[in-house]
């Protein structure tokens, strides 16, 4: 269902969704819908060149701000933004660092939509920051995932 | 950042240094030449590039410091060989980020298919 490729500086994923392109496009680019599955409460709509910001709604991380800069909105084809992945230390200013680029590409196929996700530019992420991000995130997020799994399994 | 990140081989700090070492087109090209597994001399590595032997040596030292290449002596010659270990460490980091995407895309799938 999902296939992926991990290069030296990028991650590529391909997933088939049993929903029309228009439906997937809305889930990606309507800020409320995006927030539902991405777990972030965004302040307003996505706009090219603008910063989209909101509070993370993931249990235990609600004090953290999530922020991206929208790069492209090409209806039902391409949605992209740059961000600093796992930049979750409120005391650190990440704005001067080179961000990674996240691209969602859509393609209509029989029975649904193919979503191609690319995140690139990991070679430019500063050494110090990557180090911190990795340390801070690993345990925490793994635990949260377990919590969710338990919750869903029990529901 | 003046301070060298702490941490030994395999630590997040080490992984970060491997990424930094590869963030250069020349060094990436040197790794590409070496990763076939053959040992090569500095002269061989300089062939086809505009780099001097000194420049190649400088870049190889950066790769050597993060453990990505090893220098071995063969008689009077110094040869360099690829050590796949650090690249494996780097993959581990990208696999962590990749796993986060799997989770997010899984939630998206549920969201649009319900």
């Amino acid at each position: 269902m999902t296939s992926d490729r991990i290069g030296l500086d990028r991650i590529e994923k391909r997933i088939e969704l049993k929903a029309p392109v228009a439906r997937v496009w809305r889930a990606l680019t309507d800020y409320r819908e995006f927030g539902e599955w991405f777990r972030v409460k965004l302040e307003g709509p996505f706009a090219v060149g603008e910063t989209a910001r909101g509070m993370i709604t993931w249990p235990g991380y609600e004090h953290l701000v999530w922020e991206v800069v929208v790069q492209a909105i090409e209806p039902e084809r391409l949605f992209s933004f740059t961000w600093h992945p796992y930049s979750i230390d409120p005391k650190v200013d990440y704005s001067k660092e080179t961000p990674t680029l996240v691209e969602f590409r859509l393609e209509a196929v029989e029975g649904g939509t193919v979503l191609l996700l690319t995140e690139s530019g990991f070679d430019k992420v500063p050494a110090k920051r990557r180090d911190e991000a990795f340390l801070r995130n690993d345990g925490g997020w793994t635990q949260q995932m377990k919590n969710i799994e338990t919750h869903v399994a029990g529901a | 950042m003046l301070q060298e990140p702490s941490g030994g081989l395999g630590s997040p700090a080490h992984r970060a240094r491997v990424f930094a070492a590869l963030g250069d087109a020349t060094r990436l090209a040197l790794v590409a030449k070496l990763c076939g597994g053959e040992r090569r001399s500095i002269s061989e590595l300089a062939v086809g590039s505009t780099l001097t032997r000194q420049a190649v040596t400088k870049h190889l030292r950066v790769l050597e410091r993060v453990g990505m290449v090893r220098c071995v002596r063969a008689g009077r010659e110094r040869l360099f060989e690829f050590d796949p270990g650090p690249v494996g460490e780097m993959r581990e980091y990208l696999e962590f980020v990749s796993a986060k995407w799997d989770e997010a895309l899984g939630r998206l799938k549920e969201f649009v298919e319900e």
Side-chain angles (χ1 to χ4, degrees):
Chain A
M1 200 77 80
T2 312
S3 62
D4 47 71
R5 218 149 63 81
I6 302 179
L8 279 179
D9 72 329
R10 62 176 50 221
I11 290 168
E12 288 173 15
K13 292 188 180 289
R14 180 183 187 281
I15 185 169
E16 287 182 35
L17 304 166
K18 290 187 205 70
V21 174
R23 175 72 199 96
V24 179
W25 179 253
R26 197 168 75 238
L28 288 175
T29 56
D30 178 289
Y31 73 101
R32 288 155 301 202
E33 293 208 0
F34 180 91
E36 284 287 320
W37 63 270
F38 206 89
R39 306 276 160 87
V40 57
K41 188 168 171 44
L42 290 166
E43 290 164 0
F46 291 119
V48 176
E50 303 284 322
T51 298
R53 194 180 285 114
M55 301 306 288
I56 290 173
T57 57
W58 199 270
Y61 292 85
E62 292 104 329
H63 60 293
L64 296 170
V65 175
W66 183 88
E67 207 176 80
V68 303
V69 178
V70 177
Q71 301 297 321
I73 301 178
E74 296 173 21
E76 304 197 353
R77 216 182 68 78
L78 169 70
F79 175 54
S80 67
F81 56 74
T82 49
W83 72 338
H84 300 285
Y86 309 106
S87 52
I88 63 166
D89 186 347
K91 294 189 294 291
V92 175
D93 175 15
Y94 299 100
S95 62
K96 290 185 181 62
E97 299 173 358
T98 308
T100 56
L101 173 66
V102 175
E103 295 168 290
F104 297 91
R105 286 174 203 282
L106 301 184
E107 205 179 293
V109 290
E110 203 184 317
T113 305
V114 165
L115 166 64
L116 293 166
L117 170 103
T118 308
E119 181 166 4
S120 56
F122 287 102
D123 53 330
K124 304 286 193 312
V125 174
K128 177 90 176 1
R129 237 269 292 136
R130 187 181 306 112
D131 179 14
E132 281 175 0
F134 191 72
L135 280 173
R136 284 171 201 279
N137 275 282
D138 197 20
W141 285 82
T142 307
Q143 186 53 47
Q144 287 305 328
M145 285 316 296
K146 288 211 181 82
N147 293 347
I148 296 292
E149 269 173 25
T150 311
H151 178 77
V152 172
Chain B
M1 186 183 58
L2 296 169
Q3 210 184 336
E4 183 73 3
S6 61
L9 198 75
S11 68
H14 176 255
R15 186 167 20 237
R17 289 198 296 273
V18 171
F19 267 101
L22 279 178
D24 175 279
T26 304
R27 289 196 288 273
L28 212 48
L30 287 172
V31 169
K33 280 184 183 174
L34 286 166
C35 72
E38 282 173 45
R39 294 174 174 183
R40 293 182 191 278
S41 67
I42 291 170
S43 309
E44 283 174 319
L45 290 167
V47 167
S49 79
T50 54
L51 296 173
T52 61
R53 286 171 51 91
Q54 284 80 358
V56 170
T57 306
K58 198 189 86 186
H59 285 294
L60 285 169
R61 291 301 174 206
V62 175
L63 294 169
E64 198 180 14
R65 275 202 293 278
V66 297
M68 197 174 289
V69 304
R70 270 190 297 258
C71 178
V72 288
R73 289 200 171 272
R76 285 170 50 215
E77 212 176 14
R78 280 184 305 162
L79 298 176
F80 286 83
E81 67 180 7
F82 178 62
D83 178 352
V87 171
E89 294 300 332
M90 200 171 55
R91 291 192 69 83
E92 198 183 296
Y93 170 78
L94 284 175
E95 271 156 20
F96 160 77
V97 181
S98 172
K100 293 294 157 215
W101 275 118
D102 286 338
E103 292 157 11
L105 295 178
R107 293 195 301 270
L108 170 67
K109 187 175 171 67
E110 264 178 53
F111 187 73
V112 297
E113 290 182 359
E114 73 184 12

